[in-house]
Amino acid sequence: AFVREMRSFACMSPNLIINAKRLLILSFFLISAKLGFAQTDTLNMPMRDGRLEYTATIPISNKTYLQLDTTAKGWFNRYVHYRQFVDSNTNSSVLAKGALEFRMTTTSVALVKYTFFLCFDIQIDCKENSYSYKISNIYFTPKNSFFRKVIIHQSSPEYLIDLYNKKHMGFANSVNFGRKKVREYLTQTDDTILACIASLSQAMAK
């Protein structure tokens, strides 16, 4: 009986292998077709000379330079916990490098969320009845130095914006990140910076 079963198995094995190969090929083409679809939307983020940059001038009535200057410095020290001031001859109220935090997984197949630093340069200039801000040189990196070395992650928003706005991302990028993951990186960046700007605006308007 054992011999008959082995003979039967031997006869069936090639068919099973062929069917498995067909299933594998079919799955590959289905995945490729899904990944090959052209995108239907693009990201509109504030770019200047190919770099992500948030800048604006905000008028505020009945506010002196000294009031706005004091408020800007106080806000920055409270809101941006990771900061390094830059030596400069300018009269900027704030000229510094800063970092805020956000959490997310790093690839489309990852399960663990990591804390990222969103790093940037910030400049706030105050005048009578107005102030301007510029947030530039933006990038992100895992907060933990060990994870920076061992996990796959992105750091450049400009690279991801360019990648997302392409008609086709390419097979490798689609497998590793996918359009949804790229958009999550950029949404986290945009949301974090906009929350920062909103907080500054609220402080300066008081």
Coordinates of all heavy atoms in Angstrom, one line a residue, residues 89-148:
N89 N 24.7 87.5 11.8 CA 24.6 89.0 12.0 C 23.3 89.6 11.6 O 23.1 90.8 11.7 CB 25.7 89.6 11.1 CG 27.1 89.2 11.5 OD1 27.4 89.1 12.7 ND2 28.0 89.0 10.6
T90 N 22.3 88.7 11.3 CA 21.0 89.3 10.9 C 20.2 89.7 12.2 O 20.6 89.3 13.3 CB 20.2 88.2 10.2 OG1 19.9 87.1 11.1 CG2 20.9 87.6 9.0
N91 N 19.2 90.4 12.0 CA 18.3 90.8 13.1 C 17.1 89.9 13.3 O 16.1 90.4 13.9 CB 17.9 92.3 12.9 CG 19.0 93.3 12.9 OD1 19.9 93.1 13.8 ND2 19.0 94.3 12.1
S92 N 17.2 88.7 12.8 CA 16.1 87.8 12.9 C 15.7 87.5 14.4 O 16.6 87.4 15.3 CB 16.4 86.5 12.3 OG 16.6 86.7 10.9
S93 N 14.5 87.5 14.7 CA 14.0 87.1 16.1 C 14.4 85.7 16.4 O 14.8 85.4 17.5 CB 12.5 87.4 16.2 OG 12.2 88.7 16.0
V94 N 14.2 84.8 15.4 CA 14.6 83.4 15.6 C 15.4 83.0 14.3 O 14.9 83.2 13.2 CB 13.4 82.5 15.8 CG1 13.8 81.0 15.8 CG2 12.6 82.9 17.0
L95 N 16.5 82.4 14.5 CA 17.3 81.8 13.4 C 18.0 80.6 14.0 O 18.9 80.7 14.8 CB 18.4 82.8 12.9 CG 19.1 82.3 11.7 CD1 18.2 82.2 10.5 CD2 20.2 83.3 11.3
A96 N 17.4 79.4 13.7 CA 17.8 78.2 14.4 C 17.6 77.0 13.5 O 16.9 77.0 12.5 CB 17.1 78.1 15.7
K97 N 18.1 75.9 14.0 CA 17.8 74.5 13.6 C 16.9 73.9 14.6 O 17.2 74.0 15.8 CB 19.0 73.7 13.3 CG 19.9 74.2 12.2 CD 21.1 73.4 12.0 CE 22.0 73.9 10.9 NZ 21.4 73.9 9.6
G98 N 15.8 73.2 14.2 CA 14.9 72.6 15.1 C 14.5 71.2 14.7 O 14.8 70.8 13.5
A99 N 13.8 70.5 15.6 CA 13.3 69.2 15.2 C 12.0 68.9 16.0 O 11.9 69.2 17.2 CB 14.3 68.1 15.6
L100 N 11.0 68.4 15.3 CA 9.8 68.0 15.9 C 9.7 66.5 15.7 O 10.5 65.9 15.0 CB 8.6 68.7 15.3 CG 8.6 70.3 15.4 CD1 7.6 70.9 14.6 CD2 8.5 70.7 16.9
E101 N 8.6 65.9 16.3 CA 8.5 64.4 16.2 C 7.2 64.0 15.5 O 6.2 64.7 15.6 CB 8.6 63.8 17.6 CG 9.9 64.0 18.3 CD 9.9 63.3 19.7 OE1 8.9 62.5 20.0 OE2 10.8 63.6 20.5
F102 N 7.3 62.8 14.8 CA 6.1 62.1 14.4 C 6.4 60.6 14.4 O 7.6 60.2 14.5 CB 5.6 62.6 13.0 CG 6.6 62.3 11.9 CD1 6.6 61.0 11.3 CD2 7.4 63.3 11.4 CE1 7.4 60.8 10.2 CE2 8.3 63.0 10.3 CZ 8.3 61.8 9.7
R103 N 5.3 59.8 14.3 CA 5.5 58.3 14.4 C 4.9 57.7 13.2 O 3.8 58.1 12.8 CB 4.9 57.8 15.7 CG 5.7 58.0 16.9 CD 5.0 57.5 18.2 NE 4.7 56.0 18.1 CZ 5.6 55.1 18.3 NH1 6.9 55.4 18.6 NH2 5.3 53.8 18.2
M104 N 5.5 56.7 12.6 CA 5.0 55.9 11.5 C 5.8 54.7 11.2 O 7.0 54.6 11.7 CB 4.9 56.8 10.2 CG 6.2 57.2 9.7 SD 6.1 58.1 8.1 CE 5.7 56.7 7.0
T105 N 5.3 53.7 10.5 CA 6.1 52.6 10.0 C 6.9 53.1 8.8 O 6.6 54.1 8.2 CB 5.2 51.5 9.6 OG1 4.2 51.9 8.5 CG2 4.3 50.9 10.7
T106 N 7.9 52.4 8.5 CA 8.9 52.9 7.5 C 8.7 52.3 6.1 O 9.1 52.9 5.1 CB 10.3 52.5 7.9 OG1 10.4 51.1 8.1 CG2 10.7 53.2 9.2
T107 N 8.1 51.2 6.0 CA 7.8 50.6 4.6 C 6.4 50.1 4.6 O 5.7 50.0 5.6 CB 8.7 49.4 4.3 OG1 8.5 48.3 5.1 CG2 10.2 49.9 4.4
S108 N 5.9 49.7 3.4 CA 4.5 49.2 3.3 C 4.3 47.9 4.0 O 3.1 47.5 4.2 CB 4.2 49.1 1.8 OG 5.1 48.3 1.1
V109 N 5.3 47.1 4.3 CA 5.2 45.8 4.9 C 5.6 45.8 6.4 O 5.5 44.8 7.1 CB 6.0 44.7 4.2 CG1 5.4 44.5 2.8 CG2 7.5 45.1 4.1
A110 N 6.1 47.0 6.9 CA 6.5 47.0 8.3 C 5.3 47.1 9.2 O 4.3 47.6 8.9 CB 7.4 48.3 8.5
L111 N 5.5 46.6 10.4 CA 4.4 46.6 11.4 C 4.7 47.5 12.6 O 3.8 48.0 13.2 CB 4.2 45.2 11.9 CG 3.8 44.1 10.9 CD1 3.7 42.7 11.6 CD2 2.4 44.5 10.3
V112 N 6.0 47.7 12.9 CA 6.4 48.5 14.0 C 6.5 50.0 13.6 O 7.1 50.4 12.6 CB 7.7 48.1 14.6 CG1 8.2 48.9 15.7 CG2 7.7 46.6 15.0
K113 N 5.9 50.9 14.5 CA 6.0 52.3 14.3 C 7.2 52.8 15.0 O 7.5 52.5 16.1 CB 4.8 53.0 14.8 CG 3.5 52.9 13.9 CD 2.4 53.8 14.4 CE 1.2 53.7 13.4 NZ 0.2 54.6 13.8
Y114 N 7.9 53.7 14.3 CA 9.1 54.3 14.8 C 8.9 55.9 15.0 O 8.2 56.5 14.2 CB 10.3 54.1 13.9 CG 10.8 52.7 13.8 CD1 10.2 51.9 12.7 CD2 11.7 52.1 14.6 CE1 10.6 50.6 12.6 CE2 12.0 50.8 14.5 CZ 11.5 50.0 13.4 OH 11.8 48.7 13.3
T115 N 9.6 56.4 16.0 CA 9.5 57.9 16.2 C 10.6 58.5 15.3 O 11.7 58.1 15.3 CB 9.8 58.2 17.7 OG1 8.8 57.6 18.5 CG2 9.8 59.7 17.9
F116 N 10.1 59.5 14.5 CA 11.0 60.2 13.6 C 11.3 61.6 14.1 O 10.4 62.2 14.7 CB 10.4 60.3 12.2 CG 10.7 59.1 11.4 CD1 10.0 57.9 11.6 CD2 11.6 59.1 10.3 CE1 10.2 56.8 10.8 CE2 11.8 58.0 9.6 CZ 11.1 56.8 9.8
F117 N 12.4 62.1 13.9 CA 12.7 63.6 14.0 C 12.4 64.2 12.6 O 12.9 63.7 11.6 CB 14.2 63.9 14.3 CG 14.5 63.8 15.8 CD1 15.7 63.3 16.2 CD2 13.6 64.3 16.7 CE1 16.0 63.2 17.6 CE2 13.9 64.3 18.1 CZ 15.1 63.8 18.5
L118 N 11.6 65.3 12.6 CA 11.4 66.1 11.5 C 12.3 67.3 11.7 O 12.0 68.2 12.5 CB 10.0 66.5 11.3 CG 9.7 67.4 10.1 CD1 10.0 66.7 8.8 CD2 8.2 67.8 10.1
C119 N 13.4 67.4 11.0 CA 14.4 68.4 11.2 C 14.2 69.5 10.1 O 13.9 69.3 9.0 CB 15.8 67.8 11.1 SG 16.1 66.4 12.2
F120 N 14.6 70.8 10.5 CA 14.4 71.9 9.7 C 15.2 73.1 10.1 O 15.6 73.2 11.3 CB 12.9 72.3 9.6 CG 12.3 72.5 10.9 CD1 12.3 73.7 11.6 CD2 11.6 71.4 11.6 CE1 11.8 73.9 12.8 CE2 11.1 71.6 12.9 CZ 11.1 72.9 13.5
D121 N 15.4 74.1 9.2 CA 15.8 75.4 9.6 C 14.7 76.3 9.7 O 13.7 76.2 8.9 CB 16.8 75.9 8.5 CG 18.1 75.2 8.4 OD1 18.4 74.3 9.3 OD2 18.8 75.4 7.4
I122 N 14.7 77.2 10.7 CA 13.6 78.1 10.8 C 14.1 79.6 11.0 O 15.1 79.8 11.8 CB 12.6 77.7 12.0 CG1 11.5 78.7 12.1 CG2 13.4 77.6 13.3 CD1 10.4 78.2 13.1
Q123 N 13.4 80.5 10.4 CA 13.8 81.9 10.5 C 12.5 82.7 10.7 O 11.6 82.5 9.9 CB 14.5 82.4 9.3 CG 14.9 83.9 9.3 CD 15.8 84.3 8.1 OE1 16.2 83.5 7.3 NE2 16.0 85.6 8.0
I124 N 12.5 83.5 11.7 CA 11.3 84.4 12.0 C 11.8 85.8 12.1 O 12.7 86.1 12.9 CB 10.6 84.0 13.3 CG1 10.1 82.6 13.3 CG2 9.4 84.9 13.5 CD1 9.5 82.1 14.5
D125 N 11.3 86.7 11.2 CA 11.7 88.1 11.2 C 10.5 89.0 11.6 O 9.4 88.7 11.0 CB 12.2 88.5 9.8 CG 13.5 87.8 9.5 OD1 14.4 87.7 10.3 OD2 13.6 87.3 8.3
C126 N 10.7 89.9 12.5 CA 9.6 90.7 13.0 C 9.8 92.2 12.6 O 10.9 92.7 12.5 CB 9.4 90.6 14.5 SG 9.1 88.9 15.1
K127 N 8.7 92.8 12.3 CA 8.6 94.3 12.0 C 7.4 94.9 12.8 O 6.7 94.1 13.4 CB 8.5 94.5 10.5 CG 9.7 94.0 9.7 CD 9.4 94.4 8.2 CE 10.6 93.9 7.4 NZ 10.4 94.2 5.9
E128 N 7.3 96.2 12.7 CA 6.1 96.8 13.2 C 4.9 96.2 12.5 O 4.8 96.3 11.2 CB 6.1 98.3 13.1 CG 7.3 99.0 13.8 CD 7.0 99.0 15.3 OE1 5.9 99.1 15.7 OE2 8.0 98.8 16.1
N129 N 3.9 95.6 13.2 CA 2.7 95.2 12.7 C 2.8 94.0 11.7 O 1.8 93.8 10.9 CB 1.9 96.3 12.0 CG 1.6 97.4 13.0 OD1 1.2 97.2 14.2 ND2 1.8 98.7 12.6
S130 N 3.8 93.3 11.7 CA 3.9 92.1 10.8 C 5.1 91.2 11.2 O 6.0 91.7 11.8 CB 4.1 92.5 9.3 OG 5.3 93.0 9.0
Y131 N 5.1 90.0 10.8 CA 6.2 89.1 10.9 C 6.2 88.1 9.7 O 5.2 87.9 9.1 CB 6.1 88.3 12.3 CG 5.0 87.2 12.3 CD1 5.3 85.9 12.0 CD2 3.7 87.6 12.6 CE1 4.3 84.9 12.0 CE2 2.7 86.6 12.7 CZ 3.1 85.3 12.3 OH 2.1 84.3 12.4
S132 N 7.4 87.6 9.5 CA 7.5 86.6 8.4 C 8.2 85.4 9.0 O 9.0 85.5 9.9 CB 8.2 87.2 7.2 OG 9.5 87.6 7.6
Y133 N 7.9 84.2 8.4 CA 8.6 83.0 8.8 C 9.1 82.2 7.5 O 8.5 82.4 6.4 CB 7.7 82.1 9.6 CG 6.5 81.6 8.9 CD1 6.6 80.5 8.1 CD2 5.3 82.2 9.1 CE1 5.4 80.0 7.4 CE2 4.1 81.8 8.4 CZ 4.2 80.7 7.6 OH 3.1 80.2 7.0
K134 N 10.1 81.5 7.7 CA 10.6 80.6 6.6 C 11.1 79.3 7.3 O 11.9 79.3 8.2 CB 11.7 81.2 5.8 CG 12.2 80.2 4.7 CD 13.2 80.9 3.7 CE 14.5 81.1 4.4 NZ 15.6 81.5 3.4
I135 N 10.5 78.2 6.9 CA 10.9 76.8 7.4 C 11.4 76.1 6.1 O 10.7 75.8 5.2 CB 9.7 76.1 8.0 CG1 9.2 76.9 9.2 CG2 10.1 74.7 8.5 CD1 8.0 76.3 9.9
S136 N 12.7 75.7 6.2 CA 13.3 75.1 5.0 C 14.3 74.0 5.4 O 14.5 73.7 6.6 CB 14.0 76.2 4.2 OG 15.0 76.9 5.0
N137 N 15.0 73.5 4.4 CA 16.0 72.4 4.6 C 15.4 71.3 5.5 O 16.0 70.9 6.5 CB 17.3 73.0 5.2 CG 18.0 73.9 4.3 OD1 18.0 73.8 3.1 ND2 18.6 75.0 4.9
I138 N 14.3 70.8 5.1 CA 13.5 69.9 5.8 C 13.9 68.4 5.5 O 14.1 68.1 4.3 CB 12.0 70.0 5.5 CG1 11.5 71.5 5.9 CG2 11.1 69.0 6.3 CD1 10.2 71.9 5.3
Y139 N 14.1 67.6 6.5 CA 14.3 66.2 6.3 C 13.9 65.4 7.5 O 13.6 66.1 8.6 CB 15.8 65.9 6.0 CG 16.8 66.2 7.1 CD1 17.2 65.1 7.9 CD2 17.3 67.4 7.3 CE1 18.0 65.4 9.0 CE2 18.2 67.7 8.4 CZ 18.6 66.6 9.2 OH 19.4 66.8 10.2
F140 N 13.8 64.1 7.4 CA 13.3 63.3 8.6 C 14.3 62.1 8.7 O 14.9 61.6 7.8 CB 11.9 62.9 8.4 CG 11.4 62.6 7.0 CD1 11.7 61.5 6.4 CD2 10.7 63.6 6.4 CE1 11.3 61.3 5.1 CE2 10.3 63.4 5.1 CZ 10.5 62.2 4.4
T141 N 14.4 61.7 10.0 CA 15.3 60.6 10.3 C 14.8 59.9 11.6 O 14.2 60.6 12.4 CB 16.7 61.1 10.5 OG1 17.6 60.0 10.7 CG2 16.8 62.0 11.7
P142 N 15.0 58.6 11.8 CA 14.6 58.0 13.0 C 15.2 58.7 14.2 O 16.4 59.0 14.2 CB 15.0 56.5 12.9 CG 15.0 56.3 11.4 CD 15.5 57.6 10.8
K143 N 14.5 58.8 15.3 CA 15.0 59.5 16.5 C 16.1 58.6 17.1 O 17.1 59.2 17.6 CB 13.9 59.7 17.5 CG 14.3 60.4 18.8 CD 13.0 60.6 19.7 CE 13.4 61.2 21.0 NZ 12.2 61.5 21.9
N144 N 15.9 57.3 17.1 CA 16.9 56.4 17.7 C 18.1 56.2 16.8 O 17.9 55.8 15.6 CB 16.3 55.1 18.1 CG 17.2 54.2 18.8 OD1 18.2 53.7 18.3 ND2 16.8 53.9 20.1
S145 N 19.3 56.5 17.2 CA 20.5 56.4 16.3 C 20.7 55.0 15.9 O 21.2 54.8 14.8 CB 21.7 57.0 17.1 OG 22.0 56.2 18.3
F146 N 20.4 54.0 16.7 CA 20.6 52.6 16.3 C 19.6 52.3 15.1 O 20.1 51.6 14.1 CB 20.3 51.7 17.4 CG 20.3 50.2 17.1 CD1 21.5 49.6 16.8 CD2 19.1 49.5 17.0 CE1 21.5 48.2 16.5 CE2 19.1 48.2 16.6 CZ 20.3 47.5 16.4
F147 N 18.4 52.7 15.2 CA 17.4 52.4 14.1 C 17.8 53.1 12.8 O 17.5 52.6 11.7 CB 16.0 52.8 14.6 CG 15.4 52.0 15.6 CD1 14.6 52.5 16.6 CD2 15.8 50.6 15.7 CE1 14.1 51.7 17.6 CE2 15.2 49.8 16.7 CZ 14.4 50.3 17.7
R148 N 18.5 54.3 12.9 CA 18.9 54.9 11.7 C 19.8 54.1 10.9 O 19.9 54.2 9.6 CB 19.7 56.2 12.1 CG 18.8 57.3 12.7 CD 19.7 58.5 13.1 NE 19.0 59.2 14.2 CZ 19.7 60.1 15.0 NH1 21.0 60.3 14.8 NH2 19.0 60.7 16.0

